[in-house]
Amino acid sequence: MTPPVIKAMSDVAVRLTVSPAPHWRSKRTVEKMMMCHLLALVPAMAMAIYMFGIRAASLAGIAGAVAVVTEAVCLKLQNRDINVDNYSALYEGVLFAFLLPAGAPWWLAAIGAVVTIALGRTVFGGFGCNPVCAPLVAWAFCRLSWPQAMDIDFNTAQFAMNYPLDQLKHFGVDSLYQFDYKNLFYGFQLGGIGSSQVAALLVGGIFLIATGWIRIFIPLSFLIGVAGTATLFWGIDPSVYADPLFHILTGSTVFAAFFLAPDVASSPVGKIPQILFGLIAGIMVVIIRVYGIYPDGVPFAIMIANLLTPLLDRVRPKPFGGR
Amino acid sequence: MPMLKIHYSLESDLKKDIVDIPAPDEINIRVSNLVLKTGKGKKIAKGELIAEHPSRFGGAYHAPVSGKVTKVNYHHITIKSDGTDNCVEPVDLSSLETGKELLRTLQGLGVDVAPLSSASRLLIINGLNPEPGISVTEQLLRVELKTIEAGLEMARRFIAPEQTVLAVSAGSPYRLDGAEIKQIKPKYPNSLDALVAKKVTGKEFPEETRIMSVVDLYRIGKIVLSGLPITDTTITVGDTNYHIPLGTPIRHLVEYLGLEVSSGDKVVLGGPFRGEAVYSLSEGVKKADHGLFVVKAGSFPAIEDATCINCGECVLNCPARIQANLISRYAEFEMFDHAVRHGLHSCLECGLCSFNCTARRPLLQYIRFAKTQLMNQGAGEQEQG
Ligand code: SF4
Ligand code: SF4
């Protein structure tokens, strides 16, 4: 039932804009949010180029561009407004590229970007509706389809370094003497092109928190989850299990803390749920690293936590005055 | 033009007195949902009854000027002023005992008497400015203390509270005779009645607690002192407060104050968080309006009916601890029962969810929509039953 619209006293000289309250708004928009997220990736991108050469930039470029085109095509096919200018597709394409090893072939970046958008987002209803962090869906897809192309050690053989997590997996804690934690921190390590730039990612993450684009709850609880669980194992037997700092400085832990786990669509909305989510994801990272077959537990840990999100969001406080 | 500053502060730095705005030639009073008590062509004196409120305790409406009713429609009545001071006789309230008759008299003079209709152990007076950019409350506390105290005395006769508390912004000097002081951080949304009551009592929706605003008391005080009905409101524009006859078209205000309004701008009556954007400069100010804001076109990204991106900002900013993202979606698809189950009625309508929404969804609008629909359904059922 629509009530009759009576435009009493309507005025033609000055046509006012009418809209519902509130009339002031924070200046948050999806575009700005995504732009800031991209900006937050810049230091890591720069470090990646420094580390792995221009190849890192071209992989990110391919993935980003293909993601935008895929998004536009998907929106067009669904007859929706083509709003790729909100940078969300670009951002998630680049996120996917950050997980790739430096030697990954260009087609892998392209396919991954298509999967990120088409399978990661569109089939679930588009940006904001995906239950699982979209770049991780693509990562898992590619990892299962082309295990060799996705393998970090295999694709970075030209570097006189080892992938820390593979070393831990295959040669145990004793092999870790070769890694200087300071170097790990600065990103002088093998890993995904962007996801191994610990210090640079930290700078980006702090920028996002300081500017209010992500809340601190998920990153902090995630890191606490990783550190806490690692400490537990390490305390049990330091000759078998790596120390917590190693877990934080290697693989995509820091990348996940600030960029994958807080992904808006697939993480919970409430404060307590967000903290639980971070903790669970963090704990899972170490458990998978210890018991799983994949050296870096991060992607699967986040995906598992993503699947728990709807459940976690049911943990809500009593409404104001509620019984 | 100065940059618009968004802020949550409820503090006001008041130096000026309240300025009277002279009545315009023509006034437009909104009467939708009121019971009209006058008709087209009638000559009326200032203060004469023009409409009653349909609810049991709602205050009546009176002519703010003397003149002739020239237009009546579903929404408004228009009165053309004759420029004279022809005014109704004051009512002598002092002769009346506290009781039903006095209550009805106050109601007839324009007071919403619901808060006075029964006794309560605790009376809280909300002395915080209601929203950022509105300083009416503190302005009245500063310059109209006598009138407010007269109003408080009258309110106490009905409510007979054991304890009276005046909630003021922390650090402010405002006091009321016979009221304890509770200092509250002057930051929106702390000025909302429900949150003030919680700050004072420590409980959410406490029992045996009545909350009234300084403006309510000021109005009652004015009636007590003058015996005349309420025909004006006090409104903040910029850093100054104005007494202004009810129904004064915004155009008159805009011209009188030299404000700049062009096509595409928003003109908001009330506050920036909860107010109403009018669609015509002929719209008259109403009793509950205490602010006038011109929001220039392009100051803010427009509201969109976009899909939620699940960022959680609405939830994390909600003082009522409810999930505006969910509730608004239920409202959107008319699943009102679900909305209620998720705490619709706890919503304090502060507007912070829409204010912060990254996807720019009209969350508060959906919530208000659900509430009205439910209310109408309820009313419909009562009629049938
Ligand atoms: S208006 Fe929004 S933020 Fe405010 S109480 Fe209601 S749901 Fe919460
Ligand atoms: S703030 Fe807006 S986009 Fe974010 S969760 Fe709430 S409704 Fe969704």
Side-chain angles (χ1 to χ4, degrees):
Chain A
M1 191 192 73
T2 330
V5 180
I6 301 175
K7 293 212 173 113
M9 306 187 305
S10 47
D11 189 336
V12 281
V14 182
R15 285 180 190 277
L16 299 174
T17 303
V18 181
S19 66
H23 306 286
W24 287 358
R25 291 185 28 82
S26 71
K27 304 227 168 166
R28 296 181 76 91
T29 61
V30 175
E31 294 85 80
K32 267 195 210 149
M33 171 172 168
M34 285 298 135
M35 216 142 76
C36 287
H37 276 70
L38 281 165
L39 208 60
L41 290 177
V42 167
M45 193 68 242
M47 281 305 290
I49 296 172
Y50 176 73
M51 245 318 261
F52 302 109
I54 202 70
R55 194 172 173 84
S58 64
L59 284 176
I62 289 168
V66 171
V68 172
V69 173
T70 313
E71 172 81 352
V73 171
C74 288
L75 290 172
K76 178 89 198 158
L77 290 178
Q78 299 175 84
N79 274 327
R80 289 172 62 168
D81 286 348
I82 298 183
N83 60 353
V84 288
D85 54 349
N86 71 13
Y87 304 107
S88 72
L90 177 61
Y91 171 68
E92 293 195 330
V94 174
L95 275 196
F96 169 76
F98 268 36
L99 292 163
L100 288 173
W106 68 267
W107 54 263
L108 191 64
I111 291 181
V114 171
V115 175
T116 302
I117 300 302
L119 200 61
R121 293 184 6 177
T122 305
V123 296
F124 297 108
F127 175 56
C129 302
N130 45 306
V132 174
C133 181
L136 288 179
V137 173
W139 178 88
F141 181 88
C142 295
R143 179 86 184 129
L144 298 174
S145 311
W146 301 281
Q148 289 229 325
M150 291 293 286
D151 193 86
I152 302 268
D153 246 356
F154 189 81
N155 277 287
T156 42
Q158 71 272 35
F159 295 95
M161 268 191 250
N162 291 313
Y163 178 38
L165 287 168
D166 267 347
Q167 294 290 307
L168 173 64
K169 183 105 252 160
H170 303 303
F171 305 103
V173 173
D174 292 343
S175 67
L176 300 185
Y177 67 88
Q178 55 179 317
F179 300 112
D180 173 15
Y181 283 7
K182 218 192 277 156
N183 284 342
L184 292 181
F185 179 68
Y186 289 130
F188 301 124
Q189 59 168 314
L190 295 188
I193 51 172
S195 63
S196 54
Q197 307 305 333
V198 180
L201 289 167
L202 194 65
V203 170
I206 289 171
F207 162 75
L208 285 180
I209 289 174
T211 47
W213 290 107
I214 58 178
R215 298 279 188 143
I216 198 163
F217 310 124
I218 294 179
L220 193 66
S221 57
F222 178 78
L223 292 174
I224 290 175
V226 171
T229 318
T231 308
L232 212 67
F233 279 105
W234 187 53
I236 292 170
D237 191 347
S239 68
V240 178
Y241 303 110
D243 60 281
L245 202 53
F246 178 82
H247 281 292
I248 286 181
L249 293 178
T250 55
S252 15
T253 309
V254 170
F255 183 50
F258 295 101
F259 295 93
L260 299 177
D263 170 53
V264 286
S266 56
S267 64
V269 290
K271 181 169 151 186
I272 308 274
Q274 288 192 348
I275 292 172
L276 291 175
F277 171 88
L279 284 177
I280 292 174
I283 292 168
M284 289 308 295
V285 167
V286 179
I287 293 186
I288 296 177
R289 281 185 183 178
V290 170
Y291 298 110
I293 49 166
Y294 291 101
D296 189 1
V298 167
F300 286 113
I302 305 269
M303 284 191 272
I304 291 169
N306 284 161
L307 295 178
L308 293 176
T309 292
L311 213 63
L312 291 173
D313 257 334
R314 300 185 75 109
V315 182
R316 41 181 164 245
K318 265 195 213 142
F320 190 91
R323 286 135 280 135
Chain B
M1 188 185 140
M3 268 292 288
L4 176 60
K5 238 183 99 209
I6 315 172
H7 60 94
Y8 295 104
S9 172
L10 299 170
E11 276 165 304
S12 45
D13 180 21
L14 299 162
K15 296 195 184 69
K16 303 184 203 162
D17 277 339
I18 305 181
V19 178
D20 282 315
I21 293 205
D25 296 339
E26 207 173 70
I27 59 158
N28 292 316
I29 298 183
R30 204 188 288 183
V31 291
S32 39
N33 302 328
L34 298 180
V35 184
L36 267 190
K37 291 286 166 188
T38 185
K40 193 174 165 186
K42 286 246 177 76
K43 274 186 80 97
I44 44 175
K46 181 177 175 190
E48 211 172 302
L49 181 74
I50 52 176
E52 278 173 353
H53 201 273
S55 74
R56 215 166 123 219
F57 296 117
Y61 290 72
H62 304 83
V65 291
S66 148
K68 192 169 155 192
V69 180
T70 53
K71 249 186 270 168
V72 179
N73 66 25
Y74 176 74
H75 275 286
H76 299 91
I77 77 171
T78 303
I79 301 172
K80 206 165 175 67
S81 164
D82 60 13
T84 66
D85 267 344
N86 184 16
C87 184
V88 293
E89 284 298 310
V91 179
D92 183 16
L93 290 168
S94 58
S95 61
L96 292 171
E97 296 279 317
T98 307
K100 230 189 193 136
E101 200 192 336
L102 180 55
L103 196 71
R104 291 297 162 218
T105 310
L106 286 171
Q107 186 178 7
L109 289 172
V111 181
D112 174 7
V113 292
L116 307 181
S117 60
S118 62
S120 179
R121 203 189 56 73
L122 172 64
L123 171 62
I124 301 172
I125 299 145
N126 188 345
L128 275 86
N129 288 324
E131 288 190 38
I134 299 184
S135 53
V136 167
T137 311
E138 295 195 344
Q139 176 75 284
L140 290 174
L141 279 170
R142 199 173 72 100
V143 298
E144 299 282 1
L145 201 63
K146 284 270 147 339
T147 314
I148 296 169
E149 281 175 350
L152 176 59
E153 197 205 313
M154 178 60 80
R156 271 192 176 140
R157 279 168 64 181
F158 283 98
I159 300 171
E162 287 163 28
Q163 192 191 8
T164 306
V165 178
L166 172 69
V168 293
S169 62
S172 68
Y174 308 112
R175 301 291 179 263
L176 272 181
D177 209 21
E180 292 164 36
I181 294 295
K182 172 75 190 177
Q183 310 226 8
I184 292 180
K185 192 171 162 203
K187 187 171 174 256
Y188 191 73
N190 291 353
S191 53
L192 300 181
D193 282 352
L195 298 179
V196 168
K198 180 174 180 185
K199 280 269 157 48
V200 173
T201 62
K203 297 198 194 95
E204 299 181 344
F205 298 138
E207 286 174 9
E208 281 289 297
T209 302
R210 192 67 38 83
I211 181 151
M212 296 181 78
S213 74
V214 160
V215 177
D216 295 339
L217 295 182
Y218 168 69
R219 286 198 173 140
I220 297 173
K222 227 169 136 176
I223 291 175
V224 169
L225 296 180
S226 72
L228 290 171
I230 297 164
T231 57
D232 68 355
T233 185
T234 315
I235 223 171
T236 309
V237 186
D239 63 353
T240 315
N241 287 292
Y242 302 90
H243 285 314
I244 170 167
L246 290 174
T248 300
I250 295 167
R251 181 176 291 107
H252 179 73
L253 256 175
V254 163
E255 280 165 9
Y256 189 82
L257 302 176
L259 305 177
E260 231 180 85
V261 179
S262 19
S263 285
D265 296 351
K266 278 203 248 178
V267 173
V268 177
L269 273 181
F273 285 86
R274 292 176 294 168
E276 174 200 1
V278 300
Y279 57 80
S280 164
L281 290 179
S282 305
E283 184 68 54
V285 298
K286 303 181 297 307
K287 264 190 205 173
D289 296 332
H290 299 299
L292 176 77
F293 292 78
V294 179
V295 182
K296 285 278 159 201
S299 312
F300 297 102
I303 293 257
E304 266 184 17
D305 209 358
T307 40
C308 163
I309 61 162
N310 205 45
C311 67
E313 282 304 314
C314 54
V315 179
L316 296 166
N317 282 294
C318 176
R321 304 186 301 270
I322 58 176
Q323 294 181 303
N325 59 337
L326 258 189
I327 293 179
S328 68
R329 252 175 284 174
Y330 286 136
E332 189 173 355
F333 298 106
E334 311 204 355
M335 296 158 73
F336 303 128
D337 303 352
H338 281 78
V340 171
R341 214 165 319 131
H342 284 87
L344 174 71
H345 292 305
S346 289
C347 170
L348 311 172
E349 302 199 18
C350 66
L352 286 174
C353 47
S354 317
F355 181 89
N356 286 295
C357 177
T358 316
R360 296 179 267 150
R361 281 168 60 75
L363 298 171
L364 175 58
Q365 182 70 3
Y366 278 128
I367 288 173
R368 284 178 170 171
F369 169 70
K371 282 186 172 179
T372 11
Q373 291 294 313
L374 283 167
M375 216 161 71
N376 292 347
Q377 276 174 20
E381 274 158 27
Q382 267 168 23
E383 268 165 36
Q384 282 163 19

